[in-house]
Structure formats: C-alpha cells, structure tokens
Amino acid sequence: MAEELKVIVFTLAHEEYGIEVDKVRTIERMVPITRVPKTPAFIKGVINLRGVVIPVIDLRGRFGLPESETTENSRIIIVAVNDLEVGFIVDSANDVIDIMSDTIDVPPEVVGGIKAKYLSGVAKIGEDRLLILLNLSEVLSRSEIIQLEQAGE
Amino acid sequence: MEMNQYLSIFIDEANDHLQSLNENMLRLEQEPEDISIVQVIFRSAHTLKGMSATMGFEDLASLTHEMENVLDLVRNNQLKMNEVIFDALFKCLDSLEGMVQDVVGGGDGKADVSDLVEQLKAIVRGDVGGSSGKSSASSPPNDAPLVATEMLLDQYQLSILEQSVDNGLRVFHIEVIVREDCVLKAVRAYMVFEVLERNGEVIKSHPSVQDIEQDKFERSFSVYYISHIDKDQLKKSISGVSEIEEVKIMAVDRSSLAELDQSKQRENEATVQAIQSAREIAAAAAAAPQAAAQPASQAASAETAKKAPAAPAKAAGAAAAGGRTIRVDIERLDKLMNLFSELLIDRVRLEQLASEVRRNDLTETVEHMARVSSDLQNIVLKLRMVPVESVFNRFPRMVRDLAKSLDKKVDLVITGAETELDRTVIDEIGDPLVHLIRNSVDHGVESIADRAAAGKPETGTVQLRAFHSGNHVFIEIEDDGKGINRDKVLDTAVKRGVVTPEAGKKLTDEEVYMLLFAPGFSTADKISDISGRGVGLDVVKSKIESLGGQVTVTSAFGHGSTFSIQLPLTLSIISAMLVKLGSEKYAFPLSSIVETAAIRREQIRELHGNRVIEFRKSIIPVVSLAELLECPDYRDDEEAETEMLVVRKGDKLAAVLVEDFISQSEIVLKTLGKYLTNIPFVSGATILGDGQVALIVDPNSLIK
C-alpha cells in the first residue's frame, strides 16, 4: 500500500528538492554567519539559532552547483539527522506537500551534476513537476567531509 | 505488571544502596565492633532485596537475602565479622554491582550466584573452619592483652566498665612499658598512677598496686581505666612522665567487654566453634588498632555516639545526606543553561541599547535586570554543582582492593569531599584520579618490609584532598611513600629521548618530575597489572588540560609525593578577551593570556625564517592570527603598530598579533556541534551581545 509522505519543498538552481518534514526543525531567514576557518568551502560557518550554535552548509556548494548571491528568498533550513544539527542554505523554501510513496522512482544515475548517492528518489507530482528527494545521511556523511578536508590540504 | 517505568528509579536507588553498602562495609572493616554500622548495612541490603524482588530480579534478591542472613547474625552478636566474612560480602557487592550494571544495559540482571550463596550459607552455619583457622593464624600471636588471663576482670569490675561505657565515659586498656635503664621503676609507676588518678579512675591494674609499689614487676604494667579525657590527651599526659618507653592505649567498648566476659568462661564451657573463632578474630581485631597505633580508634564511640560529640567525619557525611533534594535530569539543566545564556546575551544587548538611548528610567531598569540576572547566573551555575564526593566515594574500595593485591597496607584519608564542582568536570575527572591514586598506591607507597626498614609505620597513608581556592578547585593526592627519585626519572627520560642529557642537567626538580607526564614515560621497574597498562601519566595530563586544568607534582625523596590538580569551577562560563580581526571577532580564554601589549613593526625580527620578538629578556615566537585563520579582510603586516597578546602553554610563550582588543567579558561556552569537530585553532564558540557567534581560539594550538 502506498504511504503518504510529507515533504518540505525548496529550490536550488531552479530545481525543486524535497526533505521529509520530520527531519526539518525550522526554516529561518538568512542571519549573519560567522566564518569558521580551515573548513571546506561549502561550510559557510556557524549561526546563532536561539542560543545554540549551528553549522551552516551552502547546499549549492555541497552539490557542486555554481554559487549565487543570497537574496530576499534565501532560507536556512535547519535539519536534524542522527543527532547532527545542520543548517542548509537554499535559494528558497515555499511549500509543504504530500506525496505518495508509489510515485517515487529510484534516482537516475546523474541529475543536474549531483551525485546520485545524495538522492533517495525522484517523485513525480502532477503533470511535469519533478521533485528530487534528498538522502540526508549521505549529504551529511562525515567520512566524505574528512576526505574533502584531506583533499583541501 | 508493566515495570519499565519504574526501572530507572530502581537503577538509581540500587546504585545508591550499593554505594552505601560499599562505604559502610569499609567503615565496618575499620571498626568491626560497631554494630550500628551493621544495622545500616542490614537495612540497605534489606531494601535492596525488597526492591529487586518487586522488580523480578530473582538472583539479586536471593543473594541479598543470604547476605541479610549473615548480617542478621552479626547484628545480634551471634557472629563476629572477620576477614573471611568481609571478603565474601565484598564479593557479593561486586556481584550485585555486576547484576545492576546488566540491568542498566538492558539485561535481565541474571548471574550465577550459587557459589556466593553457598559461601554465605556456610558462614551462617558457622562452617568457616579452615578459613577461620587461617585468619586467626594471621592475627598477631597473643598481641591481645584483653584476654591475657591475668587481666581477667571479676563480675563487679566488668559491670562498672559496662556502665561507664553506657554512660558515655571513655574506657581504656593501658599498657605502660618503662625504659630498660630506668632506675626507679616503682617511682615512675607511681607517677603514672598519679597522672591517671587526676583524670579518671583505675579499675584494675596488673600487677596489683601493692606489687608495683614494691617494685614487683618487670618492665610493664597494665590497667583498666575510666576517664573523661580522650586517648590522645591521655597518651600525652602519661608520656610526660620521664623514662617511659612506650604507652599503649586501647579504647574498650561494650563488645570487647563482652569478649572479656566470654573469655573468662571459656575454660569451663565448650563454646560453639563459630563463636569461638569469631572471638579470636574479634580479639585480634581489637588488638589491631593498637598495633597500628591509629591516632583515634573510634571503637568506643559507636556505643557512646549519642552522647559523645566527637563523631567521625564519615558519620557526619551520612547525616548530611538527609537534606531534602530532588533528582533532575542533566539535560533539563543544560536546557536551562541554554535559555539562561540567551538571557545573558539579551542583557548585554539591552545594556548597549540603553547606553545609546540615554534615558534614565531605561538605564535603571536595565541595571536592575543586570543585577537580577547575575544572581540568577550564580544560582543556575550552582544547580550544576555536585560534590566531588560522588567521584571520591569509589576510591576507598579501590584502595582497599589495590592494597590487598599488592600486599601493602594503605590508609586512604579523604578530606573536602563536600567541595563542589560543575557536573561536566565531575564526569571527566574520575579517570585521571583513578590513575593518580593507583600510581600513588602502586609506585608511591612502599611495601611493608621497605616501610619498616625506612622506619615508617607499616601502614602507608594516601591523602585525597579537595578544596576551593579562588576561582579554582584543587584536588591533591599525597602519599607518604618513597617519593620520586629525581636521578632515576632523569635517567629514564634521557634514555627514552624525552630530554637531551645537556638539557636535563639544567632542569629544576619540579621540571624533572613533570617529565613523568611526558608521552610514553613509565618509571616502573617492572610492569605490574595495576598501573602498567601501557597508559602513562601523559593521558592524565592531557585529560586535565582538556578540562582547562593543570597538574603539578612536588616530592621529597624518601618522604612521599603530592600530585596537585587545579581545575576551573565550571566549564560553561569563562572569562575571555574579545579581539577583532577586520570584520571578525574572536575570544581568547583569559586564563592563558599572560599579558597584552602594543608592538611596533620594527620590534619583530626574523630568526631562521621565523618571526620572533623579545619579551621580558627572552625570545618568543610571533604568531599572526589573521594569517593562521585566513582572515578575509585584515592583514597585520601592513600595520606599523599592532596589538599583541602573550599567551602561555605550560612554560612556553608566544606573541599573538591581533588587530584590536574589544573588551574583557564573561562568555558562555558553546560547542560547534557534532558536525564540526576537530577544527584547527578553534575550541568552541560563544554568542556575543549582538547575537553574533564568535569563535573561541584555542591558545594551546598556537604554540607548538
């Protein structure tokens, strides 16, 4: 039987992505970010989220997409996965939708330059709307960060 | 019945009971005559049994049940504690602890306790034959003057002594030995009696007073004596008489009186073996304090505790536990701390705004809020403070077991257990302390033979002290052992390549001792299973430093060593210096800053490719913080004059160049979260008054 899945929809470089709503803590407007030295470029720094210091990742940078200026619409989505709390900078976040699990396909090998392992599936909504579902634990995988750190040195 | 909701309560309480059992067993081992301790132990075991049975932990319940049976005999004076019983009961405690740990880990708390149960049953049956023979053999042969037949009391004298004990008077057995070259023995004895009569009443003496007066005694005589002064005073006044070689004073209490009574009838009656062996043990135990010449045997105090004001420190601690307390989940306190730090941040922001707006009523309100919040800050911080007792109380048992396995005699003296430290520090400090105490018992305190040869008492003393001093808590571990052999340490250090022979010659004693903390260093001649686990003191040092603390060593060769640990009161709030680098702000812990100053460009010199500066007649390296942290909008090499912070790591200094000092302030420590770990040069973050995050620089990482 098909299950219903609630996802937060956000955009990155004109494409639509989804994160399951139960992994999202809050969605924040852009706030001043403190740079943390000696970290990979996609780690923008840390922010103060109501007294808690939270690292912020530029999701464009993380996926190897071209960087862009932050705008009025830019948001920081705070996600919590496996006791990691991290903020994602996205171009905009504006929707919560329900999708049926049977509309989710396995991701194609390469989608817009993003490595397939970051994706858990592609959902088809309506006629021609495609929603890319993120595999958060891969996006946040520490081993890869360590690799990136070593490559940077 | 669904029991899960009660499980955490059960675990908490079971741990409390086990702790109390362990503590009281150790106390009882020191004062085997004290029935009141047995009562406490019995009650704890009984409660534990009830709890376990209710929760369905059958093995826990059955083991505690057997322990209860043994303790019941003891508290009803039908059985005397001896080494065999102590060992068996301690083993039971270990086993109980294992079972409770199993429950904590989600297990069913089952364990094979049949051996222990059988052992306890044998004790109850009085069937401790072989082992009791062994323990009585190990007791000093007839070093027990209490039962020396010539000192037996008649019923009248006995009842006088009993009544005196019941009335809270002190009863002593005193043996006085005069010097061999003493010319007028009878005169000395007379003088001693005079001293005694001044402070109390002699009930019986051996030889009789007449015999003593007529010089009809060898070198010693002994008395039963009732007095209102304490043992130490008594000893002092008797020793005041000249030509006295030794005064042995032993406190007598009800149970040892009961022993006297029994020993009198012994010839006539065939006593049950269990009781008989128990009697021997008790006599030996009663003699033990005398042999060890303990300063204040409190054996008598148990019966008189209600009246005697001089209660031992331990008992006071037990009484203090009666205060009204509430258990709080540490997570809730952490949340409170987080919320509170937000408040602090808002306060700083408000203060800034008020100073800009310059309205009197606003300024006053903000000032009032500042006062209230600093009071609040104190309370919130205090909520997280826990007495070090919770760490210290596992050490008496550890030292007992250690001393036993090393065949040494060691007394652990704990002072300042009520000293409070932040919970986060308490959680971390246990392991380093275990290491240092093991080190003291294993390497510090000598073997019994060595101690005797060095003219020290057989029993070594390890002192564990905690106390507040300023904004710090000190924990010291002091032993009266052999001390640190400076030359040997230096030799080993040179051999291991820790220092060069030339550099070694210049080191002070303290610097040599600190070599013990160098990585991979161990002075043990042979690796023992106690401390030679391949883990050196370097681990201890790095752990303590990670807590923002310091460790130092002092030692006098032949007389013992002291390890002193200095710890910050809390890890949540520190004093820091905020500095500016272009648009960025960073915090430096004040504790590692030696000095701040301004320097001109030309003062910085090149030395072998490294930038250095002369500071107080020594050359120290210069570190450009902007360069190190890859600051985007500030470079210090364009400045003609820069601000500098001199920071310290151990005895090494470095000058850190910054653009400007902002202010000194109390900051709330925050971690960077689990996603960002091991960031170079950064130890954490804090939130400033304007809500911005500032990183805290780890000064230790700036100095190589």
Side-chain angles (χ1 to χ4, degrees):
Chain A
M1 216 191 87
E3 281 171 47
E4 220 176 45
L5 203 65
K6 228 181 222 334
V7 293
I8 302 267
V9 179
F10 62 89
T11 60
L12 262 189
H14 309 297
E15 284 192 77
E16 282 192 307
Y17 294 81
I19 305 180
E20 291 144 74
V21 78
D22 57 353
K23 303 234 164 77
V24 175
R25 293 281 300 277
T26 63
I27 300 173
E28 301 285 320
R29 289 180 178 277
M30 289 302 287
V31 292
I33 299 174
T34 301
R35 183 184 68 93
V36 180
K38 305 276 180 190
T39 48
F42 65 82
I43 295 180
K44 282 287 148 198
V46 288
I47 58 163
N48 162 23
L49 181 74
R50 286 178 283 282
V52 181
V53 176
I54 294 189
V56 183
I57 291 175
D58 180 2
L59 215 48
R60 277 176 171 257
R62 182 75 180 89
F63 291 156
L65 300 170
E67 289 197 31
S68 73
E69 291 292 306
T70 57
T71 66
E72 266 295 289
N73 293 327
S74 297
R75 292 289 181 274
I76 300 176
I77 302 181
I78 311 289
V79 299
V81 187
N82 308 331
D83 63 273
L84 287 177
E85 257 192 330
V86 175
F88 288 144
I89 301 177
V90 300
D91 292 356
S92 68
N94 31 28
D95 212 354
V96 180
I97 57 168
D98 292 326
I99 51 175
M100 301 305 288
S101 57
D102 58 2
T103 63
I104 301 173
D105 285 334
V106 284
E109 272 306 297
V110 172
V111 184
I114 300 169
K115 283 186 200 153
K117 68 171 176 176
Y118 297 149
L119 313 177
S120 64
V122 175
K124 232 175 126 183
I125 311 158
E127 281 302 292
D128 50 7
R129 205 168 158 200
L130 282 179
L131 191 66
I132 304 162
L133 297 176
L134 287 189
N135 182 348
L136 280 185
S137 48
E138 274 302 330
V139 176
L140 296 178
S141 141
R142 277 228 32 109
S143 61
E144 193 173 13
I145 295 174
I146 292 162
Q147 276 174 16
L148 282 164
E149 277 168 8
Q150 283 165 348
E153 274 167 19
Chain B
M1 195 169 24
E2 183 51 58
M3 282 296 179
N4 276 340
Q5 52 175 323
Y6 303 116
L7 198 60
S8 69
I9 302 176
F10 169 78
I11 290 168
D12 277 354
E13 293 198 349
N15 280 329
D16 284 355
H17 280 298
L18 282 173
Q19 185 60 48
S20 136
L21 281 168
N22 251 319
E23 275 170 24
N24 284 304
M25 285 285 288
L26 287 167
R27 271 177 68 202
L28 189 64
E29 208 176 20
Q30 296 301 309
E31 302 161 30
E33 311 280 298
D34 193 338
I35 298 298
S36 70
I37 306 179
V38 181
Q39 298 281 16
V40 176
I41 298 176
F42 183 85
R43 277 198 296 275
S44 256
H46 185 73
T47 317
L48 191 57
K49 176 178 100 171
M51 285 161 47
S52 312
T54 317
M55 296 294 293
F57 299 123
E58 297 301 332
D59 288 340
L60 263 165
S62 73
L63 187 55
T64 38
H65 177 72
E66 294 304 329
M67 286 173 70
E68 236 179 82
N69 286 346
V70 172
L71 291 166
D72 193 40
L73 287 181
V74 175
R75 69 172 179 165
N76 290 323
N77 278 323
Q78 287 167 294
L79 183 67
K80 287 277 169 231
M81 292 300 290
N82 66 26
E83 206 180 322
V84 180
I85 304 178
F86 272 117
D87 279 349
L89 289 179
F90 271 125
K91 260 186 226 149
C92 291
L93 290 185
D94 287 343
S95 176
L96 291 175
E97 233 168 274
M99 287 188 261
V100 173
Q101 274 312 308
D102 186 43
V103 173
V104 173
D108 53 7
K110 284 203 185 309
D112 183 12
V113 293
S114 53
D115 276 2
L116 283 169
V117 167
E118 193 42 53
Q119 218 174 329
L120 292 174
K121 279 187 172 151
I123 292 170
V124 171
R125 283 197 304 270
D127 209 9
V128 282
S131 32
S132 89
K134 186 185 102 201
S135 51
S136 54
S138 71
S139 68
N142 205 24
D143 211 359
L146 269 184
V147 286
T149 41
E150 63 270 24
M151 274 306 276
L152 287 179
L153 298 163
D154 62 35
Q155 203 55 51
Y156 172 65
Q157 291 162 334
L158 198 62
S159 66
I160 289 182
L161 292 182
E162 277 175 3
Q163 275 172 25
S164 309
V165 167
D166 289 354
N167 289 334
L169 286 165
R170 297 184 177 87
V171 175
F172 299 106
H173 174 268
I174 305 171
E175 191 181 1
V176 181
I177 303 168
V178 294
R179 285 221 317 251
E180 209 165 7
D181 56 356
C182 176
V183 189
L184 295 163
K185 280 190 296 182
V187 176
R188 297 301 164 209
Y190 174 73
M191 288 167 79
V192 170
F193 272 93
E194 211 181 18
V195 169
L196 290 176
E197 307 276 66
R198 264 210 302 275
N199 298 310
E201 200 181 346
V202 174
I203 298 301
K204 180 179 168 75
S205 85
H206 171 82
S208 71
V209 181
Q210 286 88 347
D211 285 353
I212 293 175
E213 274 173 9
Q214 290 161 26
D215 225 346
K216 285 184 188 165
F217 70 108
E218 292 295 323
R219 279 178 55 213
S220 72
F221 58 92
S222 50
V223 295
Y224 275 106
Y225 180 61
I226 301 173
S227 174
H228 54 87
I229 61 172
D230 68 27
K231 194 172 153 178
D232 290 347
Q233 260 180 298
L234 194 59
K235 183 155 190 158
K236 216 167 139 192
S237 46
I238 299 177
S239 308
V241 177
S242 54
E243 293 189 280
I244 299 289
E245 184 169 88
E246 198 184 354
V247 184
K248 292 183 190 165
I249 302 179
M250 188 174 57
V252 175
D253 64 1
R254 268 214 86 105
S255 46
S256 44
L257 286 173
E259 290 311 316
L260 283 166
D261 205 5
Q262 279 173 18
S263 55
K264 201 170 142 229
Q265 296 159 12
R266 193 175 95 197
E267 273 100 33
N268 318 346
E269 286 174 27
T271 37
V272 185
Q273 198 210 348
I275 295 177
Q276 189 180 353
S277 69
R279 188 202 59 76
E280 281 169 354
I281 300 306
Q290 185 188 26
Q294 281 187 349
S297 160
Q298 296 284 351
S301 76
E303 288 287 320
T304 59
K306 287 168 207 122
K307 292 150 194 158
K314 272 273 183 183
R324 280 149 60 88
T325 55
I326 177 169
R327 273 184 208 278
V328 182
D329 191 343
I330 187 88
E331 252 179 51
R332 288 194 196 168
L333 284 183
D334 283 343
K335 273 188 195 143
L336 180 63
M337 193 75 198
N338 266 345
L339 287 173
F340 183 73
S341 54
E342 273 183 68
L343 206 62
L344 276 189
I345 290 155
D346 289 344
R347 183 187 96 187
V348 177
R349 182 77 186 126
L350 271 180
E351 281 169 343
Q352 285 174 0
L353 289 175
S355 70
E356 285 165 22
V357 176
R358 288 170 191 277
R359 255 186 65 178
N360 262 346
D361 46 354
L362 177 62
T363 316
E364 271 168 31
T365 316
V366 169
E367 273 171 8
H368 181 253
M369 187 192 152
R371 275 199 301 278
V372 172
S373 63
S374 66
D375 284 355
L376 246 174
Q377 176 179 343
N378 277 335
I379 290 176
V380 171
L381 280 180
K382 273 206 188 108
L383 281 183
R384 299 169 51 89
M385 300 294 262
V386 186
V388 279
E389 196 180 3
S390 56
V391 183
F392 280 11
N393 58 20
R394 61 170 141 146
F395 295 136
R397 176 70 200 282
M398 187 186 94
V399 169
R400 172 198 185 267
D401 292 354
L402 260 178
K404 261 202 151 172
S405 71
L406 290 166
D407 211 12
K408 290 180 182 176
K409 286 187 180 171
V410 183
D411 263 350
L412 179 69
V413 180
I414 294 180
T415 42
E418 71 286 348
T419 311
E420 290 188 328
L421 258 174
D422 191 277
R423 175 62 198 259
T424 44
V425 185
I426 292 269
D427 288 345
E428 301 289 328
I429 197 64
D431 288 345
L433 284 182
V434 166
H435 216 87
L436 289 177
I437 292 174
R438 279 172 183 277
N439 186 67
S440 284
V441 175
D442 193 12
H443 301 312
V445 177
E446 314 90 326
S447 66
I448 294 175
D450 287 352
R451 287 188 70 87
K456 293 180 182 179
E458 277 190 355
T459 310
T461 309
V462 174
Q463 308 234 24
L464 180 58
R465 273 191 296 268
F467 54 92
H468 282 291
S469 176
N471 241 347
H472 288 93
V473 167
F474 286 82
I475 299 180
E476 293 185 346
I477 297 130
E478 180 181 350
D479 64 69
D480 63 347
K482 56 179 175 268
I484 300 171
N485 186 340
R486 183 203 146 103
D487 298 336
K488 204 169 125 191
V489 171
L490 199 53
D491 272 2
T492 317
V494 170
K495 235 178 267 168
R496 309 251 156 111
V498 179
V499 285
T500 58
E502 298 77 42
K505 278 183 198 127
K506 291 184 202 143
L507 295 179
T508 64
D509 286 357
E510 270 67 34
E511 284 165 340
V512 171
Y513 303 150
M514 287 313 286
L515 293 174
L516 290 173
F517 292 98
F521 192 97
S522 170
T523 49
D525 293 328
K526 57 173 193 270
I527 288 174
S528 67
D529 62 339
I530 308 298
S531 47
R533 296 176 180 203
V535 185
L537 288 173
D538 55 318
V539 179
V540 172
K541 188 172 178 232
S542 58
K543 182 93 213 180
I544 288 165
E545 281 177 353
S546 76
L547 294 172
Q550 277 176 15
V551 55
T552 50
V553 192
T554 51
S555 176
F557 189 57
H559 299 283
S561 340
T562 305
F563 289 81
S564 178
I565 302 171
Q566 180 189 344
L567 291 166
L569 272 185
T570 172
L571 294 182
S572 343
I573 295 184
I574 60 165
S575 297
M577 172 71 85
L578 294 176
V579 301
K580 190 171 138 199
L581 288 176
S583 58
E584 297 184 332
K585 292 170 183 170
Y586 291 91
F588 270 86
L590 219 52
S591 56
S592 56
I593 298 178
V594 179
E595 200 170 305
T596 59
I599 50 161
R600 290 185 314 280
R601 189 84 230 151
E602 59 267 25
Q603 284 176 281
I604 300 176
R605 286 184 278 174
E606 289 268 328
L607 192 74
H608 208 68
N610 296 313
R611 292 195 292 171
V612 294
I613 187 169
E614 198 176 315
F615 173 76
R616 304 224 179 284
K617 297 198 174 133
S618 60
I619 302 289
I620 61 172
V622 171
V623 178
S624 162
L625 196 60
E627 209 171 280
L628 215 55
L629 301 179
E630 296 162 351
C631 225
D633 50 7
Y634 173 71
R635 295 194 62 79
D636 42 43
D637 41 358
E638 295 147 14
E639 309 271 316
E641 190 174 280
T642 38
E643 312 295 318
M644 108 182 151
L645 284 170
V646 179
V647 296
R648 176 185 55 209
K649 175 194 183 187
D651 45 6
K652 288 182 194 156
L653 298 174
V656 181
L657 303 184
V658 297
E659 185 186 354
D660 224 338
F661 303 125
I662 301 171
S663 64
Q664 182 187 326
S665 73
E666 301 269 295
I667 58 169
V668 180
L669 286 187
K670 308 263 175 186
T671 66
L672 287 176
K674 284 195 176 154
Y675 190 68
L676 294 179
T677 51
N678 297 323
I679 305 292
F681 313 122
V682 174
S683 62
T686 188
I687 296 169
L688 301 176
D690 57 4
Q692 277 263 36
V693 180
L695 300 179
I696 301 169
V697 179
D698 175 12
N700 287 334
S701 67
L702 302 178
I703 302 174
K704 275 158 215 109

